[in-house]
Amino acid sequence: MFMTGFMVFLGTAALLAKLPRRTMLRALHHDAAVDVAVTVLVLAIHWGTFSGVMAASIAGLMTSMMTSSMKKLVGHSDGDTYYPGRICLEV
């Protein structure tokens, strides 16, 4: 269960990393919406077995931790305004 949830999380993290920088920063501005969307999507995909639901729950939890830490680390963007985190990105 944990490994399956971790693999689903890695896929989500790879998709977020491949986004253009401004799109990623806008997504980090709405981190709660991203967390809910990812959790609901993976729960819908893995619905039917206990291990699938647990893997989806782990993936949702890890995604929530990642978006919160990335928002603090690299910041977020609201429209054209960039709010830097500990690391200031070139936007």
Side-chain angles (χ1 to χ4, degrees), residues 20-32:
R21 187 170 291 161
R22 287 185 184 265
T23 307
M24 179 191 68
L25 290 171
R26 285 189 191 122
L28 288 175
H29 180 71
H30 304 287
D31 58 338

Side-chain angles (χ1 to χ4, degrees), residues 15-91:
L15 286 174
L16 188 62
K18 290 180 92 173
L19 289 174
R21 187 170 291 161
R22 287 185 184 265
T23 307
M24 179 191 68
L25 290 171
R26 285 189 191 122
L28 288 175
H29 180 71
H30 304 287
D31 58 338
V34 171
D35 297 342
V36 170
V38 167
T39 303
V40 167
L41 182 67
V42 295
L43 276 172
I45 290 171
H46 294 94
W47 191 258
T49 63
F50 176 75
S51 60
V53 171
M54 289 307 297
S57 299
I58 290 170
L61 178 65
M62 293 178 93
T63 301
S64 179
M65 292 186 320
M66 179 199 60
T67 55
S68 296
S69 62
M70 288 298 292
K71 188 173 184 177
K72 290 177 184 173
L73 185 66
V74 297
H76 60 96
S77 175
D78 184 20
D80 289 332
T81 307
Y82 171 56
Y83 301 99
R86 295 194 180 272
I87 298 173
C88 186
L89 296 178
E90 182 111 8
V91 182

